[in-house]
Amino acid sequence: MAILVTGGAGYIGSHTVLALLQRGDDVVVLDNLCNASREAINRVEKLAGKKATFVEGDIRDRACLRDLFASNSISAVIHFAALKAVGESTRMPLEYYENNVAGTVVLLEEMRDAGVWNFIFSSSATVYGADAPVPYVETTPIGGTTSPYGTSKLMTEFVMRDFAKAEPKFKAIALRYFNPVGAHESGEIGEDPAGIPNNLLPYIAQVAIGRLEKLGVFGGDYDTPDGTCLRDYIHVVDLAEGHLKALDYLSKVEGYTAFNLGGGKGVSVLEMIKAFEKASGKAIPFEIKPRRDGDLPAFWADASLANTTLDWRVTRGIDEMMRDTWNWQSKNPDGFR
């Protein structure tokens, strides 16, 4: 039996595929490569010393999914495949709902027809919305999302919940993660955004290697210790290990449940800059700019449910995040290209 990983050539997906292969699982990767590189899987296979089955295809393509399930013995699906840029989603809402929500419905329908009932979903802290108190806990009501991206994750969780109520065989876990950063310690795989990075740390790293001139810090007057936003950063390898823990826990799940995966504390933008400068030995020029619409001053996770129930916790701190990011970026100044 194999694990199907949709979006498995992407940033978090590739690290999860590596973790699965390294512990001996058989893996099928489905990716349309719109936001990823086949080279990531090549490198994952070299690191693991084990091959994955790679299928270039789209979760919205029923014929592709039907053939994939017919050709492979799949026991569970880890679902990463999604469009993921918050800002872009406000300009392209229909594309986000069609890909992220409608695409997941197609995937679940084909899973049902193939008799595959185990499902791990890559969700997001954005489902808690703008008014949730911090730290975010799983018992906090979800909703009040501030972007089509966040709403697409929220809607998908509702789809999972309702499908689980209707189909007792369906076992599903939504993993709500916070801000994934870092790279594999080998420097062989890491975050490789297309175009200008949407996330903070890849932007900092590209400033450090000279691809970008300086960092724009959006807002320096928030009610935080240094005036910049606080976010909960989690090392991508810790996050990948969380997916394996969730996969192993699925047999105990009845229906649908959700877990936060985060570090449990907020780190400011300026603290991130200083930590990266320390790790890389590079000065990071930056400019304070006006606040962006939709940015929250501060949020972080309460991950105690994952700690106790999944026996999962973060083991890599800010120093490892910065070290591994710089190792990846300095070895691969142009990413996988």
Side-chain angles (χ1 to χ4, degrees):
M1 301 292 280
I3 311 301
L4 170 61
V5 182
T6 73
Y11 175 43
I12 304 169
S14 61
H15 286 81
T16 303
V17 170
L18 176 57
L20 289 166
L21 291 175
Q22 285 179 325
R23 77 170 190 177
D25 290 309
D26 293 325
V27 179
V28 177
V29 173
L30 174 68
D31 204 302
N32 65 8
L33 301 180
C34 77
N35 220 354
S37 171
R38 181 68 173 85
E39 177 62 20
I41 297 302
N42 294 339
R43 295 187 185 190
V44 161
E45 292 173 333
K46 289 178 183 177
L47 288 168
K50 180 178 169 69
K51 290 282 188 180
T53 298
F54 181 79
V55 177
E56 184 173 347
D58 195 291
I59 57 170
R60 297 165 293 181
D61 184 342
R62 289 185 183 277
C64 174
L65 290 175
R66 202 162 295 150
D67 181 67
L68 187 155
F69 283 116
S71 303
N72 300 275
S73 182
I74 304 296
S75 61
V77 175
I78 303 178
H79 179 36
F80 293 104
L83 300 176
K84 62 177 186 176
V86 171
E88 181 184 68
S89 76
T90 65
R91 301 188 300 273
M92 302 168 50
L94 297 183
E95 287 83 352
Y96 271 69
Y97 292 129
E98 198 268 338
N99 187 89
N100 295 4
V101 183
T104 303
V105 171
V106 172
L107 174 62
L108 290 172
E109 287 174 339
E110 294 304 320
M111 285 177 59
R112 177 190 61 193
D113 292 350
V116 179
W117 303 109
N118 298 312
F119 191 64
I120 305 290
F121 174 57
S122 166
S123 191
S124 166
T126 57
V127 301
Y128 289 109
D131 299 322
V134 292
Y136 294 169
V137 295
E138 291 86 352
T139 52
T140 300
I142 56 178
T145 49
T146 59
S147 71
Y149 165 76
T151 305
S152 75
K153 295 293 187 180
L154 177 72
M155 292 171 70
T156 301
E157 286 205 33
F158 287 161
V159 170
M160 294 165 59
R161 178 198 64 189
D162 293 342
F163 184 36
K165 288 179 181 177
E167 178 48 76
K169 295 178 184 177
F170 184 58
K171 296 176 179 288
I173 294 175
L175 297 177
R176 298 170 182 164
Y177 30 88
F178 285 66
N179 293 72
V181 296
H184 190 261
E185 63 181 3
S186 66
E188 290 298 305
I189 57 172
E191 189 167 8
D192 183 23
I196 302 298
N198 292 296
N199 297 327
L200 174 64
L201 194 51
Y203 204 113
I204 292 174
Q206 291 193 16
V207 171
I209 60 168
R211 283 175 62 181
L212 297 170
E213 180 183 358
K214 63 182 175 181
L215 172 71
V217 176
F218 296 100
D221 58 353
Y222 286 103
D223 185 18
T224 60
D226 63 20
T228 63
C229 291
L230 297 174
R231 295 291 182 265
D232 186 338
Y233 295 95
I234 175 174
H235 197 293
V236 66
V237 177
D238 280 331
L239 187 56
E241 291 170 355
H243 288 77
L244 272 62
K245 292 285 190 178
L247 190 64
D248 294 341
Y249 185 73
L250 264 178
S251 62
K252 301 176 184 178
V253 170
E254 293 185 4
Y256 147 84
T257 191
F259 295 95
N260 289 336
L261 296 185
K265 65 178 182 178
V267 180
S268 77
V269 176
L270 295 185
E271 287 174 324
M272 291 286 283
I273 293 170
K274 291 175 183 176
F276 191 87
E277 288 178 332
K278 177 183 175 183
S280 66
K282 300 283 187 178
I284 306 299
F286 65 89
E287 176 186 2
I288 302 293
K289 294 188 173 184
R291 298 183 183 189
R292 290 183 301 194
D293 290 341
D295 273 352
L296 302 179
F299 63 83
W300 57 89
D302 180 332
S304 57
L305 185 64
N307 298 161
T308 57
T309 305
L310 301 181
D311 189 29
W312 172 89
R313 53 194 38 83
V314 297
T315 60
R316 298 162 180 87
I318 195 76
D319 291 339
E320 289 87 353
M321 296 175 199
M322 300 301 150
R323 177 199 67 198
D324 295 340
T325 298
W326 179 237
N327 186 35
W328 151 255
Q329 192 71 81
S330 58
K331 285 183 175 180
N332 302 272
D334 296 314
F336 291 114
R337 292 170 291 284

